[in-house]
Amino acid sequence: MHENKNDLGCCFSNLAEMLQSRACQFPELTAFVFEDDEGNQQSWTFAQLELRSRSLGRWLARRTSVGDRVLLVYPPGLEFIAAFMGCVYAGALPVPATYPKPRRPSPRLDSIVEDCRPSLVLTHSSSLAGLCLDQQSPAISELSWEPTDLVSDDQTNSFEPISRSAENLAFLQYTSGSTSEPRGVMVSHGNILHNLEAIRTGFSIDGSVHQKGVFWLPAYHDMGLIGSILTPIYVGGTSTLIAPTTFLRRPQRWLELMSETQATISGSPDFGYKLAVTKMSEAERDLLDLSHWRLAFCGAEPINPATLDEFATAFESAGFRRSAFYPCYGLAESTVIVTGGQHPSGPRVLHVDRAAKRNHRVVPVAESNGSSQALVGCGQACKGITFRIVDPVTLEAREEDQIGEIWVQGDSVAPGYWNQEATNNETFRAKLVNHGDGEFLRTGDLGFSHEGELYVTGRLKDVIIVRGRNHYPQDLERTAQAAHEAVDLGAAFPVEVEGHEQLVLVFQWRREFRGADHEAIMHAIRTAIVEEHEIDPHAIVLIRPASLPITSSGKVQRKKCREQFLKDELAVTAQWTNHLCSGDELPA
Ligand code: 1ZZ
């Protein structure tokens, strides 16, 4: 589609220039297609996207000042993309947010609003009635909600995007942090353009081939926003989008669209590949042609070597190549991608001694060794990014094959979290002891380097990652406590089931509810967790009053509780275990 290898000249100083340049180069090329649950498709060329963004940019520039935060609360669809770029054109800071459940309080949205104090909320007119704003908290309902799909395009609009330099912020990415302590990563134009270039070179995209992608990743998460929306604009590709819920209901649609559009790039956290294997019959797989899929990225949660094997085997006859897998590691604090390396090299699997690994040492062993554990390499550092493995206590750099905290350096590393100056110094400006090599981002993740490749082994921080999304234990515990009046103190923690992180919830019941129906309590907890957090727990355990391990100051000891759960040492009065496998559908 592109005329020559060099037509991706990528020297932009901000995201608005990026879109304008691509709309000039490829005006008639389809930029985005969105397919809804009924199979209806809407598509925009680069010129249409640019016009729509410019129309919204002009409209917004009259309503906001440069640097104002603008919350984006959209159902999946193309209008989100125009609103995001419209904010960029107007010099406002877009803040993508999860879509709240209708007629329900949204503690997460409340806390984001409280933290970044947006001057406007942009949404789609189809959402306004359904969200029942009068039933949301005053912090949310009193904001000015504007449906941007009602703003019309004006061909004569000659609005010029507000000039922004590399240091100016491009957007806030709320991904990490608990509900009570939200953390909005401040991503600058320089950060995002640096990371997009790291992705472009890592993915070996040189403009000689027109890249097509199919994605179901949520647009409010860094991997979805950057992977399925900003990268396609940066490389002048075509991106076909479906809603995350469409994928969860019918994972087939992801791969059918890959086949129908002859897509070259797509990706998912580990769970998505697993879900596709579990949910597709041989007959359905036989109808697919995945031979054009040259890069299948996989990241955002631990990568299970078995998932890659199962997917590659299941879809081999559809033309999928195992060498297309591109395992990668990243985090919003470094925009998105950190490692992945140069494609194509295919995934590397290292077998290490399990016991040595527990002692932070890496001892490669044969696969046949009874105590071996297989780990998938997440590639080498991407262009312009460096990582180090550091002893989290002494802050000294560790050698190859020693496990430590992953520290990251480069122009993709964000300046910090919005409103969190104290944390920012510790997290984003860490220094190695005895080395004069500048400031690093402390990721809180654990890993090691082996032959230049990063292997992620766990994390220091207390986050639970299920289906590629981070959850803070305290948020899950709070939801469970609110689900039924008999639920007292408890602990949420991850356990590994079939190579995947799964959620376990352990709660004391309140003495005054001695005669309560334990089945009903567990059912209420499960329903609330599924609805609020979209996770189906692996187990829910009710234990005797006052038997939860707590510290002398009354803090829940999650690690101890997990140990007691694994050793069957809890004072259990009732337990429910989920017999669905991790890929099964969430209950309605
Ligand atoms: P977030 C074209 N984690 O999840 C698009 N990777 O960010 C290219 N744990 O801040 C996209 N093994 O929400 C390339 N391999 O969570 C995408 O997630 C590259 O604990 C992957 O601290 C980007 C993931 C972005 C993301 C970050 C946390 C990390 C870590 C965990 C991410 C992982 C992984 C194990 C991996």
Side-chain angles (χ1 to χ4, degrees):
M1 202 62 70
H2 302 302
E3 250 126 66
N4 61 58
K5 278 179 86 106
N6 302 317
D7 61 1
L8 284 183
C10 297
C11 323
F12 314 119
S13 46
N14 60 51
L15 289 180
E17 268 181 28
M18 167 182 89
L19 175 57
Q20 288 190 309
S21 160
R22 294 300 175 240
C24 259
Q25 267 179 300
F26 318 118
E28 300 308 323
L29 183 70
T30 300
F32 292 100
V33 180
F34 176 73
E35 183 182 280
D36 68 18
D37 261 351
E38 276 79 52
N40 305 311
Q41 293 196 342
Q42 185 192 7
S43 68
W44 284 347
T45 62
F46 275 95
Q48 286 170 320
L49 171 64
E50 203 282 329
L51 174 64
R52 187 90 205 102
S53 307
R54 196 152 25 96
S55 304
L56 291 181
R58 182 171 72 168
W59 183 88
L60 274 163
R62 294 187 185 134
R63 287 161 179 81
T64 55
S65 305
V66 171
D68 275 5
R69 275 76 58 216
V70 174
L71 201 63
L72 306 184
V73 181
Y74 282 84
L78 301 186
E79 196 59 25
F80 168 87
I81 306 171
F84 182 93
M85 291 309 302
C87 289
V88 167
Y89 272 42
L93 261 190
V95 185
T98 48
Y99 195 69
K101 299 259 180 330
R103 290 181 291 280
R104 290 280 204 78
S106 315
R108 177 135 182 99
L109 204 55
D110 275 343
S111 69
I112 292 179
V113 166
E114 171 76 20
D115 191 54
C116 76
R117 307 215 167 261
S119 55
L120 272 186
V121 191
L122 302 184
T123 189
H124 195 278
S125 56
S126 62
S127 307
L128 270 182
L131 284 173
C132 299
L133 288 177
D134 51 339
Q135 290 173 40
Q136 298 287 342
S137 72
I140 292 183
S141 60
E142 285 165 11
L143 283 166
S144 172
W145 287 68
E146 302 285 351
T148 53
D149 52 306
L150 304 183
V151 177
S152 51
D153 285 338
D154 175 3
Q155 299 283 352
T156 62
N157 169 6
S158 56
F159 176 74
E160 279 295 321
I162 304 292
S163 161
R164 304 266 72 200
S165 62
E167 303 74 53
N168 293 139
L169 298 188
F171 60 96
L172 293 188
Q173 179 69 64
Y174 280 89
T175 57
S176 49
S178 64
T179 298
S180 57
E181 221 181 291
R183 287 179 169 175
V185 179
M186 302 188 283
V187 181
S188 71
H189 284 276
N191 293 147
I192 178 67
L193 289 165
H194 185 264
N195 212 246
L196 288 169
E197 180 61 10
I199 293 170
R200 185 187 74 78
T201 48
F203 284 18
S204 305
I205 298 175
D206 60 10
S208 57
V209 176
H210 174 218
Q211 302 293 338
K212 289 177 276 182
V214 175
F215 304 99
W216 52 267
L217 305 164
Y220 54 78
H221 183 244
D222 48 353
M223 188 148 101
L225 174 68
I226 298 169
S228 64
I229 296 173
L230 298 178
T231 304
I233 302 178
Y234 188 71
V235 303
T238 298
S239 174
T240 300
L241 308 168
I242 55 172
T245 47
T246 306
F247 167 72
L248 290 177
R249 262 194 294 275
R250 252 198 102 234
Q252 291 86 330
R253 197 59 201 135
W254 172 34
L255 299 183
E256 285 165 6
L257 280 167
M258 289 295 297
S259 174
E260 285 165 27
T261 61
Q262 305 192 335
T264 51
I265 296 181
S266 190
S268 161
D270 185 279
F271 90 85
Y273 289 102
K274 190 164 170 98
L275 194 61
V277 172
T278 345
K279 282 300 169 85
M280 286 189 76
S281 65
E282 205 177 330
E284 285 172 318
R285 293 194 300 238
D286 280 348
L287 297 174
L288 300 177
D289 172 9
L290 300 179
S291 61
H292 299 268
W293 194 350
R294 54 172 281 270
L295 189 140
F297 60 86
C298 184
E301 65 177 341
I303 306 170
N304 184 348
T307 305
L308 305 187
D309 289 344
E310 285 161 21
F311 189 91
T313 308
F315 293 98
E316 190 181 9
S317 58
F320 180 81
R321 292 178 297 275
R322 187 187 158 85
S323 60
F325 275 128
Y326 182 87
C328 47
Y329 161 80
L331 70 171
E333 286 79 350
S334 180
T335 306
V336 68
I337 204 165
V338 171
T339 66
Q342 195 69 29
H343 188 71
S345 58
R348 286 181 65 184
V349 177
L350 184 69
H351 298 270
V352 300
D353 183 77
R354 230 176 250 279
K357 183 174 151 253
R358 272 186 235 117
N359 295 323
H360 302 302
R361 279 184 313 112
V362 177
V363 178
V365 290
E367 185 178 356
S368 52
N369 183 314
S371 70
S372 82
Q373 180 184 4
L375 297 171
V376 177
C378 290
Q380 294 166 350
C382 285
K383 183 179 169 186
I385 300 173
T386 312
F387 74 86
R388 295 261 189 285
I389 302 299
V390 182
D391 182 319
V393 178
T394 64
L395 307 191
E396 284 172 320
R398 286 198 166 150
E399 310 276 306
E400 159 130 343
D401 287 346
Q402 287 184 342
I403 296 176
E405 187 182 2
I406 304 166
W407 286 26
V408 178
Q409 191 177 56
D411 288 346
S412 290
V413 174
Y417 301 118
W418 182 261
N419 256 343
Q420 307 263 343
E421 223 13 70
T423 314
N424 289 349
N425 280 329
E426 284 164 32
T427 310
F428 290 83
R429 301 191 251 291
K431 288 207 164 142
L432 283 165
V433 167
N434 300 336
H435 277 75
D437 56 2
E439 294 176 341
F440 284 83
L441 163 73
R442 291 190 69 158
T443 65
D445 292 312
L446 294 169
F448 64 92
S449 160
H450 180 82
E451 295 174 357
E453 189 151 347
L454 176 70
Y455 290 79
V456 183
T457 54
R459 61 190 165 268
L460 287 170
K461 56 196 181 189
D462 211 3
V463 180
I464 302 172
I465 301 185
V466 181
R467 297 179 160 213
R469 282 171 62 188
N470 300 351
H471 302 269
Y472 273 69
Q474 54 270 44
D475 291 347
L476 299 158
E477 289 156 14
R478 212 166 298 131
T479 300
Q481 280 154 352
H484 195 288
E485 51 190 357
V487 181
D488 194 4
L489 267 191
F493 50 80
V495 292
E496 205 181 295
V497 183
E498 297 167 13
H500 278 262
E501 212 157 279
Q502 300 270 309
L503 172 67
V504 174
L505 297 152
V506 174
F507 284 89
Q508 297 174 171
W509 46 270
R510 293 180 193 277
R511 269 183 219 290
E512 56 274 33
F513 289 87
R514 186 172 298 275
D517 177 352
H518 283 165
E519 290 301 321
I521 300 173
M522 293 187 292
H523 181 74
I525 295 177
R526 181 186 181 204
T527 309
I529 294 287
V530 168
E531 283 183 7
E532 299 274 323
H533 304 274
E534 294 172 346
I535 315 177
D536 203 4
H538 167 66
I540 299 173
V541 187
L542 293 181
I543 57 173
R544 274 210 310 271
S547 67
L548 188 79
I550 52 172
T551 64
S552 52
S553 61
K555 289 213 181 67
V556 176
Q557 291 179 298
R558 295 192 185 90
K559 266 198 183 144
K560 193 156 179 194
C561 189
R562 183 174 181 276
E563 272 167 35
Q564 292 183 350
F565 170 81
L566 292 172
K567 290 186 184 156
D568 266 339
E569 285 173 3
L570 291 165
V572 177
T573 50
Q575 174 160 348
W576 169 84
T577 305
N578 197 340
H579 294 292
L580 295 175
C581 80
S582 57
D584 279 315
E585 265 177 28
L586 297 178

